[in-house]
Amino acid sequence: MLDIHQLNIFLTAAETLSFTRTAQRLHLTQPSVSQHIQALERHFGCELFVRNGRNLELTEAGLKLASLAQEAVLLSARIESEMASLQKGVVGHLLIGCCTTPGKYILPKLLTSFHDRYPRVQVTCSVLHQRDALKLLLEGRLHFTLTSLIETITPELESVRFICDRLVLIAPLRHPWAESGEISPDQLVQGRFILREEGSGSYEAIRKALNDVEISMHDLPTILTLGNSEAIALAVREGLGVGFVSEKVLEAFGLEGLAIVNIKGLEIQRDIYISRNKRQPATIPQTTFWTYLFSPDNPLRLCDKKMEELSFDRGVYERN
């Protein structure tokens, strides 16, 4: 009989193509990983990996098993969750992937409220690049994602607009822009900017807003690129330059030593969407969490005027 534990080890090895990294990820020894893979190969009577020194490559049989094993492992987790829920209420594990701002400033409040109501549901939240998160969601390795890259969402996913995140321009208190409090868009090209990396949700929101006033991101003199908004706020506070950060970061981080600079006629904001894979059978905890998003008990539900459902029609998403 097939062993789900062995299939899970195989799937991790198929992803990492390394028994060493598989052992590290699953907190096993490397000999134990090798033994489980060999047991599977004996069971099926074929090799699953081509071993070339330390390098691994999936055989044709290994590739076939990888797709089937993923379905089996997911079904096993669903069975365990639903049978436990019959006895103990809602029980299970949620896997959520998100970009930086939702992960630090949106999810904690939501998950605290959800956990108060469903204390037997464990949640693992991974802060990832948005495209990576959506890829894992499509592969069934995440249950939900929070991202702002709605244009990359595919027909397999069901998505709703969850919350609006406003980005503001900040400057050190002694900066001329801070003293005036307001600038025109064409003055932006005179600044010294500290920005997020290209491809991040913040970067894309700024790029789209500037395009509307015919300014390219490449027109902004950029002296430093940083991987999170807190680092940008710290660098601005030290007087290194100016930058854009989420209002939610400032709510948590504070405005000491910083000033918000208004840009005439320019609003920069991004909608944060929560998505699930509608092609994957949902467990009781997953269905419960999705329903909770729309309930009055969700503390963030009230922060947005309306959650807009999205439908896929002829290759583009349209708001209903």
Side-chain angles (χ1 to χ4, degrees):
M1 182 176 293
L2 282 174
D3 186 325
I4 292 297
H5 177 59
Q6 287 183 343
L7 289 179
N8 188 54
I9 292 172
F10 165 74
L11 283 174
T12 305
E15 178 190 348
T16 63
L17 294 178
S18 166
F19 289 169
T20 300
R21 289 197 293 273
T22 298
Q24 292 170 344
R25 183 178 296 186
L26 299 179
H27 306 290
L28 300 171
T29 64
Q30 184 174 335
S32 175
V33 170
S34 298
Q35 289 168 10
H36 284 299
I37 297 299
Q38 289 167 6
L40 279 175
E41 290 177 327
R42 287 194 299 271
H43 178 85
F44 292 113
C46 60
E47 289 190 345
L48 300 174
F49 293 96
V50 176
R51 297 160 176 84
N52 183 13
R54 294 185 179 181
N55 298 321
L56 296 178
E57 184 178 342
L58 283 167
T59 63
E60 185 176 347
L63 288 169
K64 181 65 175 178
L65 179 60
S67 62
L68 296 173
Q70 188 169 21
E71 295 177 21
V73 169
L74 289 172
L75 180 58
S76 174
R78 183 183 176 198
I79 291 171
E80 292 282 356
S81 172
E82 299 209 10
M83 294 307 294
S85 295
L86 289 176
Q87 303 297 324
K88 306 174 183 177
V90 182
V91 179
H93 191 185
L94 298 180
L95 303 174
I96 302 176
C98 60
C99 51
T100 306
T101 298
K104 291 185 176 181
Y105 303 105
I106 296 176
L107 271 181
K109 185 175 183 179
L110 169 64
L111 295 180
T112 297
S113 176
F114 180 77
H115 180 73
D116 287 344
R117 177 161 290 228
Y118 303 103
R120 294 181 177 271
V121 178
Q122 178 187 352
V123 181
T124 298
C125 179
S126 301
V127 177
L128 304 164
H129 191 286
Q130 298 187 99
R131 287 182 173 83
D132 292 338
L134 290 171
K135 179 176 180 291
L136 293 175
L137 181 63
L138 286 168
E139 293 174 353
R141 292 158 62 191
L142 289 175
H143 302 142
F144 303 97
T145 60
L146 270 78
T147 69
S148 59
L149 295 180
I150 190 63
E151 65 272 14
T152 66
I153 292 179
T154 69
E156 291 84 2
L157 303 183
E158 180 181 4
S159 305
V160 293
R161 186 169 71 89
F162 184 56
I163 201 164
C164 180
D165 183 29
R166 182 169 174 255
L167 303 177
V168 295
L169 176 62
I170 58 172
L173 289 178
R174 294 186 180 180
H175 193 280
W177 292 356
E179 294 174 359
S180 65
E182 186 176 71
I183 62 171
S184 60
D186 58 5
Q187 288 179 267
L188 289 170
V189 298
Q190 302 168 13
R192 288 162 47 88
F193 281 88
I194 306 160
L195 298 175
R196 286 290 306 274
E197 72 280 7
E198 189 171 353
S200 68
S202 297
Y203 185 99
E204 291 303 310
I206 297 164
R207 182 185 62 79
K208 290 176 183 178
L210 293 183
N211 281 346
D212 292 340
V213 292
E214 299 182 347
I215 296 176
S216 167
M217 288 294 285
H218 300 295
D219 295 331
L220 301 184
T222 304
I223 60 171
L224 184 62
T225 299
L226 293 172
N228 63 73
S229 295
E230 298 94 329
I232 291 176
L234 283 170
V236 171
R237 180 178 290 175
E238 292 298 319
L240 189 58
V242 298
F244 295 96
V245 297
S246 165
E247 276 189 329
K248 299 187 182 304
V249 173
L250 295 181
E251 289 173 6
F253 190 81
L255 264 174
E256 183 181 354
L258 299 171
I260 295 176
V261 181
N262 183 47
I263 307 171
K264 293 178 183 177
L266 186 65
E267 286 286 332
I268 304 176
Q269 62 183 38
R270 57 176 180 162
D271 289 331
I272 303 296
Y273 297 88
I274 190 162
S275 304
R276 65 175 177 175
N277 189 339
K278 61 186 179 185
R279 303 283 174 86
Q280 293 285 347
T283 64
I284 289 176
Q286 291 169 33
T287 301
T288 301
F289 181 73
W290 188 260
T291 302
Y292 184 78
L293 296 174
F294 298 89
S295 77
D297 296 326
N298 175 1
L300 298 181
R301 173 75 167 84
L302 304 177
C303 296
D304 199 5
K305 293 181 180 178
K306 181 182 179 183
M307 294 183 75
E308 299 177 83
E309 293 190 7
L310 303 175
S311 63
F312 192 83
D313 183 23
R314 297 182 182 181
V316 295
Y317 274 100
E318 299 176 344
R319 287 186 174 91
N320 291 331

